[in-house]
Every structure is written in C-alpha cells, then in structure tokens.
Amino acid sequence: MDRDAESLRRRIRRLRELGKKGEKDGLFLGVNGTLKEVWQEGKQPAALRLRHNFVIDRADVDRQPPASRLLNPRGIALRFYLLALFEAQCRLDPGAEWTGDRPFRGRHGWKDFVAVDVGYNSATDTYTHAPPRAQETKRIRQVKGALCTLEDLGDQALVEIPRKKGGHRDHKAFRLMRETGRGAALTADYYVVPAADEAVIEIPIDFFRQGWVQVLYPSEIFTWLSLRFLRLKFPGEHQESGNYLYAKKREYFHLLRDSYEDSCQTLMEFGLVRRMPTAAEKAAPAPGTFESLFQQPSQPGGRADRYEPYRYQLVDEGLAVDALEKCMRELVLRQNGKG
C-alpha cells in the first residue's frame, strides 16, 4: 500500500473511531455537545476573532509565525490553542485579559474540548477500549502534551505553565498567551480578547460547533486561516476572482508548496473553499464549440495558464454541516476512487 493510500486509510479509521457510538453517544458528538453548551451558556460570539500575527508574523521569511510551528499531523496543539481562544471569547468581554481555572475532569473540563482517538493497537489494527476512567486519563494526557508543545516555543510560547515544588509542571494552572507568543520581555504577553475595533481574522463559530476544528489536519487549518487572512487584506480580489499563495507569498507564511496544494484540494472536497477559474479558463471557448476545436495554446506545452496560480474563494456556508459526516463521505469517495 502506498503512503498516500495508507495515510487516507488511517484518517478514515480515526474518524470512524471518533464517531463510534458508546456510553455517551460517541466522542465526537460528546465534544461537540460540550462546545455548543459552552457557547450557549456564554456570550455567544458569532465568530472567533483571531489576530493575524498567529498566521503571518510579518513579510519576513526568517521569522516563522507561531501557527506554522504547530503542523505535526498527529498533534493537537494548534487545535487546542484555537479551542482555548474559543473558550475565552465565550466567557470574557473584548479587552479582558485571560484568566481561567477550568479543570481537566468533570463537566466541561478541558478533556471534553478535544476529540482524539486513543487506544489504537497497530499490531492488531484494532482499538483497545479501556474503562471510561482510563480513556479519560489518556485524553487528559493528550491535552497536557499539547500544552507542553505550546509552551516549548521559546519567545513564541503560546501558554505558560507554572511549576510546582520539585519543578513539575502544574498544567491545570496554565495561562494563555497572545497570538504572537509570550515575547522576549521579562513580563509575559498574556492573552487579551481583541477589542471590538481591532482588525482580525474572523472564524465563523460553526467551525467549532460543527466540529471542523476536530477533524481537519493542522496543515489544512493553517492553509484555511491563511486564506482567511488574504480575504481580510484583499476583500475585493477575494470576491471577484479569489486569493492565492504562490512562491514567495507562500514563504511569508512558511507554508510548503505540497502542504498548501494538498490542503487546498482537501478543503475543496470538504466544501470549505472553491477554486476560481483562471484567466485562461475564462477566455477558453466552451467545449464542443467550433472555436474550441481549433484553439491554439498560447504557450509551448499547451498550457495557457502554466504560470498562473490557482485562486481560491472561501465557502463559509460549508461550515454549517456536520464536519465528521461530511469528511467521512468525501474521504471514502476518494478512497474508492483510488481503488
């Protein structure tokens, strides 16, 4: 089995495990229920407001933005940071500094914010379903691992975890940092909810309530956030012909070409973006017409758009559907196509 096919099989297997019905109607449904209740019981923001420095620090290829350092496909650090911002904005007013004492266990504990499969045995290709308490402990361990990853980013650390006597981390007392990280100063730059007049990337709340934050890979989330940044900066271009990342522009985000192109393809399949026609495609005669039979390529090799990058337009209506159901359907179709 080739690597792409194995990766696809693994992804489908994990999604099936998240959707499997259990004592609490399945982990995915349970986590989504928690996020919906946190939103309903809180300030009910229409969108998460994210400072763009998280996605692109500045137009300087020597400085990675924090998000690009969290693209481990199996990791949950990027996901957890966005979920922590979601929790903060459901609870705090604009301009308020982050404080929190949410536990890991219990109703609406941090372990209920993340849907992640645990207990897979690669030797048997099956899941070992331990008692609920043991499953809960494994999920808490995953969250603590994400917090450690977020702290271990130097001056771009996105959380601060105080130490107990003896030097062990006190994970439950973590503090959230601003989207740029803690900074180089002695005083850490703790997270403050963006003011109402700040220019920010807006993430529709259905990204969280419908479970997209749970099922997209980190590289897909990062690519999607990058396109949202481009729409913020170039709204007219986005509306008319879509936005694009090409060559040097991709380097500003520290986003590799293969990762970007693969992510755009998957986001299209999931209905979250659409590819807009290139100039060459717009100018081409309709198939089957007399003109199309005798059309000459404008460049050697037959591709009129050889150096024209693909442009993409966000489809926010796509966020309104159940993410797990949509992703499973599209990935199985892709798998069947490969077969």
Side-chain angles (χ1 to χ4, degrees):
M1 185 180 291
D2 64 63
R3 290 181 61 186
D4 288 343
E6 171 59 23
S7 177
L8 179 58
R9 189 193 72 84
R10 183 169 58 248
R11 187 170 190 175
I12 291 172
R13 182 250 298 164
R14 288 171 177 165
L15 291 178
R16 281 186 175 139
E17 178 65 16
L18 294 184
K20 186 178 294 183
K21 298 297 188 291
E23 292 185 5
K24 297 183 179 179
D25 294 326
L27 181 56
F28 182 81
L29 285 176
V31 167
N32 264 17
T34 292
L35 297 186
K36 289 175 181 177
E37 288 174 9
V38 167
W39 179 84
Q40 187 68 37
E41 295 169 8
K43 298 183 178 297
Q44 301 182 15
L48 175 79
R49 307 180 70 244
L50 179 73
R51 294 179 180 90
H52 69 76
N53 311 83
F54 183 62
V55 176
I56 178 168
D57 192 349
R58 58 179 184 269
D60 179 353
V61 297
D62 295 326
R63 174 74 171 178
Q64 278 190 268
S68 72
R69 301 180 65 183
L70 302 172
L71 301 187
N72 180 348
R74 191 71 176 106
I76 64 169
L78 174 60
R79 188 195 319 181
F80 185 80
Y81 184 72
L82 293 175
L83 286 164
L85 297 187
F86 166 84
E87 189 271 350
Q89 294 188 22
C90 285
R91 182 168 49 85
L92 302 171
D93 291 319
E97 183 174 301
W98 190 87
T99 57
D101 56 0
R102 187 177 297 276
F104 283 92
R105 299 184 188 271
R107 181 177 182 270
H108 295 172
W110 283 117
K111 53 91 179 171
D112 289 333
F113 274 63
V114 183
V116 58
D117 65 310
V118 294
Y120 178 70
N121 186 325
S122 59
T124 62
D125 194 25
T126 59
Y127 283 90
T128 303
H129 293 287
R133 188 72 173 181
Q135 292 283 333
E136 183 180 78
T137 298
K138 290 180 180 179
R139 288 165 58 197
I140 290 174
R141 194 178 300 128
Q142 292 268 8
V143 172
K144 289 181 177 179
L147 288 171
C148 292
T149 298
L150 292 169
E151 186 181 48
D152 295 339
L153 297 178
D155 64 353
Q156 289 183 308
L158 295 166
V159 302
E160 177 184 80
I161 308 174
R163 264 55 175 179
K164 302 177 183 178
K165 290 182 180 179
H168 297 294
R169 285 171 160 136
D170 186 4
H171 295 89
K172 66 181 181 181
F174 79 89
R175 295 193 65 179
L176 200 63
M177 297 294 171
R178 205 176 179 96
E179 291 93 331
T180 46
R182 66 163 288 114
L186 292 177
T187 303
D189 198 0
Y190 296 115
Y191 180 72
V192 175
V193 178
D197 59 351
E198 279 191 67
V200 293
I201 299 170
E202 291 197 344
I203 302 176
I205 213 65
D206 275 346
F207 180 74
F208 299 92
R209 295 193 307 174
Q210 295 293 352
W212 292 100
V213 68
Q214 310 292 346
V215 300
L216 294 180
Y217 277 176
S219 59
E220 294 160 3
I221 293 176
F222 184 40
T223 297
W224 186 73
L225 291 176
S226 300
L227 292 172
R228 300 196 78 79
F229 168 78
L230 292 173
R231 183 172 72 173
L232 170 69
K233 293 298 181 182
F234 310 103
E237 183 178 359
H238 179 270
Q239 181 66 28
E240 181 179 347
S241 58
N243 299 123
Y244 69 95
L245 286 178
Y246 188 63
K248 195 71 174 178
K249 295 179 185 295
R250 252 192 335 265
E251 294 180 24
Y252 296 154
F253 294 84
H254 284 253
L255 188 55
L256 298 177
R257 175 179 177 177
D258 287 349
S259 180
Y260 169 71
E261 292 179 349
D262 290 347
S263 294
C264 286
Q265 178 62 37
T266 301
L267 291 170
M268 281 198 300
E269 291 175 2
F270 291 168
L272 301 185
V273 303
R274 64 170 65 95
R275 186 176 75 79
M276 304 299 285
T278 64
E281 289 169 341
K282 290 178 181 178
T289 63
F290 181 82
E291 291 81 0
S292 68
L293 297 176
F294 298 96
Q295 183 183 22
Q296 298 296 306
S298 60
Q299 296 203 17
R303 281 194 56 188
D305 63 337
R306 177 178 295 274
Y307 299 108
E308 184 177 359
Y310 285 151
R311 294 172 175 267
Y312 297 94
Q313 193 177 68
L314 293 159
V315 185
D316 286 349
E317 311 90 79
L319 295 167
V321 304
D322 181 272
L324 182 64
E325 182 180 326
K326 176 66 174 178
C327 292
M328 278 294 297
R329 181 167 62 248
E330 296 302 326
L331 292 174
V332 168
L333 285 172
R334 184 197 293 184
Q335 187 181 54
N336 292 340
K338 281 181 176 290

